[in-house]
Amino acid sequence: MPRGRYSLHDPHDHTPLGEEHFHCAPGPSGWRYVAQRTAPSGTPAGSVDLALDDRGRPIRLELHAGDWQVRAAALNGVTWVRTDPTGAHATEDNAPAHTFTGTSPAFLVSTARLLRLTPASPATRVRLVAFTDPVLAPRTLDQSWALLKSEAHATDNGPLIVDEYQVTALDTGEQHAVHITGDVVLAAPGIELEHLETPPSTFT
């Protein structure tokens, strides 16, 4: 069960956004990621709890940011309920999308898991619902993912397979690289892996 810490920053001006302390693991029915987020000051800033089935579909997502909350799952596309800070109002919505995304590294692993790309695969289009900080506002967007290469890197625990993806935002054409090994993101825009206590899990 990998445990570690990511640092998060604005991908454009590198303003620190805080840290995400996580643990994750594959299980008999899929994969689960749980994390607590802290602000740059160290104060609690929210949490992430994401569970995928064995095909990479989100069967449960719960996000907290400040006093906002989202509960979501893959249902008729994707469906979510967003609750305001007072708790007096909850709005339910639905979109014909494949999965969710946001600032957490968990969403990069989940999208890669859903697409199951190989270096021989063509670039694949995916529709996502993004929950944007700081109020978890939903926004639908389209991306194209391509697996450029998978390389083995020698470590004390044996070879580590690192996948390099090219992700393209289809509304702007902006491209960026995402490096993932198993269920851990090594590097991506706005994300740095600062500490990892145990090796990444490998998916069968």
Side-chain angles (χ1 to χ4, degrees), residues 116-139:
R116 309 285 181 98
L117 300 176
T118 70
S121 301
T124 299
R125 179 173 180 152
V126 60
R127 174 158 289 181
L128 308 159
V129 171
F131 294 110
T132 56
D133 295 331
V135 296
L136 302 179
R139 179 171 67 95

Side-chain angles (χ1 to χ4, degrees), residues 84-107:
D84 68 300
T86 68
H89 303 284
T91 56
E92 181 175 346
D93 212 341
N94 173 269
H98 299 96
T99 189
F100 302 103
T101 192
T103 54
S104 173
F107 294 116

Side-chain angles (χ1 to χ4, degrees), residues 108 148 164-167 175-179 187-189:
L108 297 175
L148 299 184
E164 180 183 347
Y165 294 90
Q166 179 177 277
V167 180
Q175 294 183 331
H176 60 266
V178 172
H179 295 84

